[in-house]
């Protein structure tokens, strides 16, 4: 059943005023349009016809027809009063939200969300969002950390950071590590290619075809790497890689090798090798401080760009992909620049320890 718009009847005085508004050169456009709507409605025109002729919407025509019938000229001359903005939260209310976010948890969850905090406090979700943004609170995020217990932490930290920020002359600084157990994974079904609106898709299940270990030494000055894949990562393989570094670097330069505390790197045969190769010096990072070894940053690059989404039917295919990535890296190397001084790092660690000391 079609709806019939209410009939509009206007007095002579209203007609004269509406005509003045409709034809007024300096009259606001919104009032001109409303006057035309009422005048045309008084002729019996339908809302849809008025909307088409005035190039507006049918609901707009219907609104001003009703407003004129309800309030007369005043109903179309002025916009309807809108509710004012809600009173801003007091400082005490804001502090209560911040304290609750920092020191409590909801009864059925591990952290607050905007919705649960809004429900618990009675404030709007937008208000909670504004408070959290102003105080840089992000309950939905979590980060991991581990403080080193190395008794020589400060000494080792300053040694390694010093090599990064002020490398010695006539020497190379190489950040070294092994990326072990890299799996040659082959998806159980072919990967579906990227299409407009649809990302590349791959099955969650896969077949394992073996593993390899990637020995890598990153030159901190120019970003090139010396790399070698091996089936194992014992001290024997480490010594072979040291020999490779010895062959592939200028013999007249000293070698400062930054490494972690893996037992292989401190094996007796490794120590004997170092005694025979005087230009090599190993600098050990503190325990539990892999973030201090720049080669880890390079490992993240090769993992995300070449390995993680790759599909390899054999270890040989995996090694070939790694070697191609290394060759491309060395053809256009981009070094990672270390910017944090030892003092800044120590200051952050001191704050972290202070925070841990305040926990109950």
């Amino acid at each position: 059943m079609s709806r019939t718009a209410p009939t509009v009847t206007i007095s002579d005085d209203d007609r004269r005023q509406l005509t003045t508004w409709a034809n007024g050169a300096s009259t606001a456009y919104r009032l001109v349009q409303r006057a035309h709507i009422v005048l045309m409605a008084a002729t019996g025109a339908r809302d849809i016809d008025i909307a088409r002729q005035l190039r507006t919407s049918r609901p707009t025509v219907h609104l001003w027809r009703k407003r004129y019938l309800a309030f007369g000229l005043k109903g179309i001359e002025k916009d309807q009063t809108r509710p004012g903005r809600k009173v801003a939260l007091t400082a005490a209310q804001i502090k209560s939200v911040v304290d609750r976010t920092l020191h409590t948890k909801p009864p059925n969850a591990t952290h607050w969300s905007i919705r649960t905090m809004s429900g618990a406090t009675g404030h709007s979700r937008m208000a909670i969002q504004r408070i959290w943004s102003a105080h840089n609170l992000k309950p939905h995020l979590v980060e991991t950390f581990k403080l080193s217990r190395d008794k020589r932490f400060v000494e080792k930290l300053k040694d390694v950071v010093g090599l990064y920020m002020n490398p010695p002359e006539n020497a190379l600084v190489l950040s070294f590590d092994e990326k072990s157990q890299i799996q040659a994974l082959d998806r159980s079904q072919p990967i579906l290619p990227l299409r407009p609106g649809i990302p590349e898709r791959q099955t969650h299940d896969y077949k394992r075809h073996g593993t390899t270990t990637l020995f890598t030494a990153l030159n901190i000055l120019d970003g090139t790497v010396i790399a070698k894949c091996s089936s194992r990562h014992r001290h024997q393989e480490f010594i072979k890689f040291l020999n490779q570094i010895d062959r592939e670097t200028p013999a007249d330069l000293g070698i400062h090798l930054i490494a972690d505390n893996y037992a292989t790197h401190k094996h007796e045969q490794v120590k004997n090798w170092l005694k025979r190769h005087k230009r090599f010096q190993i600098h050990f990072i503190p325990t539990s401080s892999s973030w201090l070894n720049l080669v880890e940053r390079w490992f993240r690059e090769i993992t995300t760009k070449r390995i993680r989404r790759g599909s390899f039917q054999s270890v040989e295919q995996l090694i070939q992909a790694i070697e191609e990535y290394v060759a491309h890296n060395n053809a256009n190397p981009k070094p990672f620049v270390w910017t944090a001084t030892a003092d800044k790092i120590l200051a952050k660690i001191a704050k972290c320890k202070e925070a841990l000391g305040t926990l109950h």
Side-chain angles (χ1 to χ4, degrees), residues 100-340:
R100 198 163 187 169
T101 305
L102 292 174
H103 304 299
T104 69
K105 295 182 184 298
N108 61 341
T110 59
H111 60 281
W112 289 104
S113 67
I114 291 177
R115 189 179 296 274
T116 56
M117 181 60 75
S118 173
T121 60
H123 305 315
S124 70
R125 282 177 284 175
M126 289 303 298
I128 300 300
Q129 176 67 64
R130 286 194 296 270
I131 294 171
W132 282 359
S133 295
H135 292 81
N136 198 26
L137 296 174
K138 302 175 182 178
H140 63 289
L141 295 182
V142 63
E143 295 181 352
T144 60
F145 75 96
K146 185 175 183 179
L147 293 178
S148 173
R149 298 182 182 274
D150 196 317
K151 295 180 179 179
R152 297 174 57 204
F153 177 84
V154 175
E155 175 189 344
K156 292 179 179 179
L157 171 70
K158 291 184 176 180
D159 178 38
V160 173
V161 172
L163 288 172
Y164 288 152
M165 305 195 74
N166 188 25
E169 295 182 0
N170 300 318
L172 295 176
V173 179
L174 304 177
S175 175
F176 162 79
D177 202 1
E178 308 100 336
K179 184 173 179 61
S180 60
Q181 299 295 310
I182 306 175
Q183 299 189 72
L185 301 179
D186 181 23
R187 299 293 163 179
S188 60
Q189 298 180 42
I191 295 175
L192 300 181
L194 171 72
R195 290 186 294 171
I198 302 176
E200 179 182 283
R201 291 180 290 178
Q202 59 186 21
T203 59
H204 69 277
D205 52 336
Y206 48 78
K207 300 176 183 178
R208 293 186 175 92
H209 294 290
T211 63
T212 189
T213 293
L214 174 60
F215 288 79
T216 304
L218 170 69
N219 187 327
I220 68 162
L221 289 179
D222 62 14
T224 59
V225 297
I226 299 172
K228 178 179 176 60
C229 288
S230 179
S231 59
R232 306 179 72 176
H233 53 105
R234 304 167 301 172
H235 70 274
Q236 294 95 323
E237 285 74 31
F238 180 42
I239 291 175
K240 289 180 181 179
F241 188 64
L242 289 174
N243 285 321
Q244 180 178 345
I245 294 175
D246 194 29
R247 292 191 305 270
E248 296 185 13
T249 55
D252 59 335
L253 296 180
I255 302 294
H256 294 268
L257 200 65
I258 297 171
D260 62 21
N261 294 270
Y262 184 41
T264 292
H265 307 156
K266 300 180 179 180
H267 193 277
E268 197 63 33
Q269 292 188 31
V270 173
K271 292 179 181 179
N272 292 334
W273 188 94
L274 292 171
K275 289 177 181 178
R276 297 192 303 271
H277 298 78
K278 300 296 185 181
R279 72 186 186 115
F280 278 75
Q281 294 184 50
I282 291 189
H283 303 259
F284 293 106
I285 63 174
T287 56
S288 305
S289 302
S290 59
W291 49 269
L292 194 53
N293 204 347
L294 265 180
V295 74
E296 297 292 342
R297 180 67 180 83
W298 189 86
F299 281 153
R300 188 174 79 181
E301 289 288 302
I302 190 173
T303 299
T304 56
K305 293 180 179 179
R306 191 61 188 93
I307 297 175
R308 182 173 295 152
R309 285 173 56 175
S311 184
F312 310 103
Q313 297 179 354
S314 65
V315 173
E316 290 73 21
Q317 276 192 6
L318 172 61
I319 293 174
Q320 181 181 356
I322 291 172
E323 290 176 345
E324 289 174 353
Y325 183 89
V326 169
H328 184 270
N329 175 92
N330 290 342
N332 185 30
K334 295 180 180 179
F336 302 106
V337 180
W338 188 275
T339 59

Side-chain angles (χ1 to χ4, degrees), residues 84-101:
R85 183 177 179 178
K86 291 184 178 180
V87 178
L89 299 183
T90 65
Q93 290 174 315
I94 293 174
K95 183 177 184 301
S96 175
V97 172
V98 173
D99 290 344
R100 198 163 187 169
T101 305

